[in-house]
């Protein structure tokens, strides 16, 4: 069975690290990524949950992905419906179906997977005869409400401790196919008491005449708000690739996390707020390095030959250069996703230079000092030039820069400054006859205001203004040799913004989109969704938001203050320097997080 599965499925044949565990009496967990194999397997969080679940002796976890569009009809009409990739278990036969959700635009794919599995997509139409449907992943900690009608349980926050606890509780309670059968309602009530688990059916949302949330009510003793879970001692857990495969965004690279959260608090960025407290891994907390030091280097790492360091703003981690150098000493090529221009140190660039990474990604997001103050990303052009010069000196030939348009108070001059900055970079660092930049990729996205950031109140910019700014960029960069401009679709950004701040009434739209294979326009029209109301209305300081059902440990007053400072183009005091990981300024809201920051301080002193 095992061998024939491998031979039949070329994706599995290309993997190293796949777990094949006999089902026996184990609870079967289908871990679903609501996008393709390629996208899902590129996610370290998805891989971490796969590892965590398969480490549990009473659980077997197999994966499932959204089939390619041309495959979907065949799957929908097949006898088994959608199945897991390891041993073709039909999803309707598993005990728990868990979604790892990263992107708002994948929400309709959750409904599509439930349909392809032959399961009722809405939670209220399922019972203990059906798998328990769980969702986790970053998008579910930002705002799970658009998926509230589809899922039974949402895991909020870090998974290292929450996932095993949730599984222990499910095993203890008994699920429909493992052990004693208990009523679905009873199980949900019990799971709602596990810290970090949110059971949407136990909350009632009331709306006012304007369609805004008027009140959120918790039923049957469910907690309100639901506090996110935080893994304080990250060093205890190995967050590295469980499976290495060439069929991902990163080719066959082995990924390992060295930082979580970011102390910078850029005002548009969820990672700067929602993942607090910031945790940096020290060199001795990087598990694959420890294994190598013990003389037992992981085969997966050595065979991969390349290691990618993962984390938000990872060059802020003081141990980053040492970690990069240690991997380089093992003969591995070291790659990083994106570095902060002000903290990209020479040692890091040297370690990168020893590998074959020839593209460096930097994210200035705005090109004028004024707008950088608005978003609280106060780097200077000289930081960018210095980082690029160091990268070029170490063999980098491609630079990728991320920018946003539609930022609060942004003018056309701010957008023109992006073109000017690119011109100056190519002039100073462009390859003439010797080393230098051959390709400068300029990647631009419209601002999508995100929950739990200071910009959660901000209206999205009008479509016409965004299209106009796109044209300014196209004309300003068109004759610049070596520069490639990529602008995110305004229409898709609008949908993303709708889902990012939407509520559970969007469930009907998502179901229609899943059933029609992507007809957003007609689904929105049919359900009377007024995009302007959702995207562009002014939100009041005290408006209740759908995501207020969650508590990420942030002080709403602090977020509002930051928003007001942004509108006035002011920085928070001291934001020129990266704040210390345990700086109470970032944790002012929550005693729980203030305590947890002590863990980070301990790490920092170590
Ligand atoms: S530095 Fe990067 S990760 Fe950190 S808050 Fe700013 S944008 Fe987010």
């Amino acid at each position: 069975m095992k061998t024939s599965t491998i031979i039949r499925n070329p994706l599995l044949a290309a993997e190293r690290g796949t777990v094949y565990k006999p089902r026996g009496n184990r609870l079967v967990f289908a871990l679903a990524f609501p996008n393709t194999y390629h996208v899902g397997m590129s996610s370290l969080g998805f891989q971490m949950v796969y590892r965590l679940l398969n480490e549990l002796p009473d659980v077997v976890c197999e994966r499932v992905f959204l089939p390619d569009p041309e495959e979907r009809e065949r799957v929908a009409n097949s006898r088994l419906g959608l199945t897991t990739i390891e041993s073709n278990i039909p999803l309707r036969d598993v005990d728990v179906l868990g979604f790892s959700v990263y992107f708002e635009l994948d929400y309709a794919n959750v409904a599509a997977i439930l349909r392809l599995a032959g399961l009722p997509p809405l939670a209220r139409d399922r019972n203990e005869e059906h798998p328990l449907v769980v969702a986790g992943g970053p998008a579910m900690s930002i705002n799970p409400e658009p998926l509230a009608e589809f899922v039974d349980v949402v895991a909020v926050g870090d998974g290292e401790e929450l996932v095993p606890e949730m599984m222990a509780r499910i095993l203890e309670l008994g699920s429909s196919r493992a052990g004693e059968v208990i009523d679905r309602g009873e199980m949900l009530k019990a799971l709602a008491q596990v810290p970090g688990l949110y059971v949407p059916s136990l909350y009632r949302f009331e709306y006012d005449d304007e369609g805004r949330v008027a009140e959120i009510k918790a039923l049957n003793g469910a907690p309100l708000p639901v506090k996110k879970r935080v893994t304080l001692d990250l060093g205890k857990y190995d967050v590295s690739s469980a499976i290495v495969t060439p069929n991902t965004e990163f080719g066959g690279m082995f990924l390992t996390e060295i930082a979580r959260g970011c102390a910078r608090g850029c005002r548009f960025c969820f990672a700067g707020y929602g993942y607090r407290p910031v945790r940096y891994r020290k060199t001795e907390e990087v598990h694959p390095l420890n294994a190598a030091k013990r003389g037992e280097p992981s085969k997966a790492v050595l065979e991969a030959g390349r290691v990618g360091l993962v984390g938000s703003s990872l060059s802020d981690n003081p141990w980053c250069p040492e970690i990069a150098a240690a991997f380089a000493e093992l003969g591995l090529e070291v790659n990083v996703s994106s570095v902060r221009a002000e903290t990209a140190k020479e040692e890091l660039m040297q370690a990168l230079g020893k590998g074959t990474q020839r593209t460096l990604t930097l994210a200035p997001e705005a090109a004028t000092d004024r707008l950088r103050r608005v978003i609280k990303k106060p780097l200077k052009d000289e930081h960018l030039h210095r980082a690029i010069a160091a990268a070029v000196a170490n063999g980098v030939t491609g630079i990728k820069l991320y920018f946003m348009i539609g930022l609060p108070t942004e003018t056309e001059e701010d957008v023109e400054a992006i073109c000017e900055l690119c011109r100056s970079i190519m002039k100073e660092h462009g390859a003439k006859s010797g080393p230098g930049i051959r390709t400068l990729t300029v990647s631009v996205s419209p601002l999508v205001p995100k929950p739990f950031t200071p910009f959660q109140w901000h209206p999205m910019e009008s479509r016409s203004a965004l299209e106009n700014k796109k044209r300014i960029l196209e004309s300003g960069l068109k004759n610049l040799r070596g520069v490639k401009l990529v602008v995110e679709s305004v229409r898709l950004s609008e949908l993303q913004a709708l889902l990012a701040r939407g509520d559970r009434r969007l469930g009907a739209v998502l179901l229609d989109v899943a059933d029609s294979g992507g007809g957003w326009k007609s689904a929105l029209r049919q359900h009377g969704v007024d995009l302007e109301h959702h995207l562009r209305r002014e939100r009041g300081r005290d408006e209740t938001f759908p995501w207020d059902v969650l508590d990420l440990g942030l002080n709403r007053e602090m977020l509002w203050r930051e928003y007001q400072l942004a509108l006035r183009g002011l920085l928070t005091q001291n934001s020129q320097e990266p704040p210390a990981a345990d700086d109470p300024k970032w944790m002012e809201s929550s005693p729980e997080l203030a305590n947890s920051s002590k863990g980070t301080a301990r790490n920092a002193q170590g």
Side-chain angles (χ1 to χ4, degrees), residues 261-273 311-313 316 338 340 363 365 375-377:
C262 176
R264 303 278 180 162
C266 301
R267 289 171 175 142
F268 58 87
C269 176
F270 178 80
Y273 295 88
S312 332
S313 193
D316 280 352
S338 164
R340 182 87 194 180
E365 312 292 1
I375 62 173
K376 207 165 97 180
K377 203 163 192 185

Side-chain angles (χ1 to χ4, degrees), residues 123-442:
R124 63 171 172 267
D125 297 330
R126 297 190 300 263
N127 57 32
E128 43 286 335
E129 295 299 314
H130 301 109
L132 183 75
V133 178
V134 179
M140 294 297 93
S141 295
I142 300 178
N143 176 19
E145 279 308 295
L147 285 182
E149 302 286 352
F150 300 95
V151 300
D152 299 309
V153 181
V154 175
V156 183
D158 296 332
E160 288 85 356
E161 286 153 12
L162 178 54
V163 170
E165 261 178 52
M166 175 182 77
M167 295 315 297
R169 192 73 183 112
I170 291 172
L171 284 163
E172 190 186 332
L173 290 162
S175 71
S176 57
R177 287 168 183 74
E180 184 193 348
V181 176
I182 73 158
D183 175 76
R184 177 59 51 90
E186 290 306 309
M187 173 173 273
L188 294 180
K189 267 191 256 170
L191 289 175
Q193 299 306 321
V194 175
L197 293 186
Y198 166 51
V199 176
S201 58
L202 296 181
Y203 297 80
R204 199 163 64 230
F205 280 63
E206 289 172 4
Y207 304 94
D208 66 16
D209 294 343
E210 306 272 312
R212 297 171 300 206
V213 176
E215 198 180 352
I216 306 172
K217 285 185 178 152
L219 313 172
N220 293 313
L224 179 66
V226 176
K227 282 180 177 242
K228 78 163 179 180
R229 287 295 291 271
V230 176
T231 306
L232 292 179
D233 192 355
L234 213 53
K236 266 168 58 182
Y237 302 94
D238 182 11
V239 182
S240 305
S241 299
I243 292 172
V244 178
T245 165
N247 298 306
T248 72
E249 288 290 306
F250 312 103
M253 196 188 299
F254 181 90
L255 303 179
T256 191
E257 185 197 46
I258 66 161
R260 191 172 298 178
C262 176
R264 303 278 180 162
C266 301
R267 289 171 175 142
F268 58 87
C269 176
F270 178 80
Y273 295 88
Y275 295 150
R276 295 174 185 191
V278 181
R279 285 144 290 167
Y280 297 133
R281 228 175 251 269
K282 293 189 283 185
T283 312
E284 56 269 34
E285 292 172 337
V286 180
H287 291 238
L289 281 177
N290 288 344
K293 237 185 257 165
R294 290 194 307 268
E296 306 156 3
S298 145
K299 253 176 88 179
V301 188
L302 294 181
E303 281 177 15
R306 295 186 300 144
V307 63
L309 307 182
V310 176
S312 332
S313 193
L314 52 84
S315 57
D316 280 352
N317 178 347
W319 290 277
C320 181
E322 190 179 295
I323 292 168
F327 275 117
E329 267 169 37
L330 291 175
L332 297 166
E333 177 192 322
V334 182
N335 293 257
V336 294
S337 46
S338 164
V339 298
R340 182 87 194 180
E342 312 92 294
T343 49
K345 296 200 172 60
E346 181 58 29
E347 305 96 287
L348 176 59
M349 295 298 185
Q350 282 170 5
L352 298 181
K354 288 184 187 147
T356 55
Q357 182 171 354
R358 293 290 167 257
T359 300
L360 182 74
T361 302
L362 299 161
E365 312 292 1
T368 59
D369 288 348
R370 186 196 68 80
L371 200 55
R372 287 173 184 159
R373 282 197 300 277
V374 169
I375 62 173
K376 207 165 97 180
K377 203 163 192 185
L379 83 167
K380 298 278 181 197
D381 285 355
E382 67 208 52
H383 292 129
L384 281 173
H385 282 291
R386 204 185 314 141
I388 292 170
V392 166
N394 284 288
V396 165
T397 55
I399 297 290
K400 185 169 188 184
L401 296 180
Y402 282 111
F403 290 99
M404 284 189 293
I405 50 175
L407 292 165
T409 78
E410 182 183 79
T411 63
E412 291 186 2
E413 288 72 43
D414 291 310
V415 181
E416 278 155 10
I418 295 176
C419 305
E420 187 48 45
L421 177 60
C422 294
R423 264 180 236 121
S424 78
I425 287 172
M426 287 312 275
K427 189 168 167 213
E428 209 164 307
H429 310 283
K432 282 120 206 161
S433 49
I437 303 171
R438 292 182 194 287
T439 315
L440 174 64
T441 306
V442 183

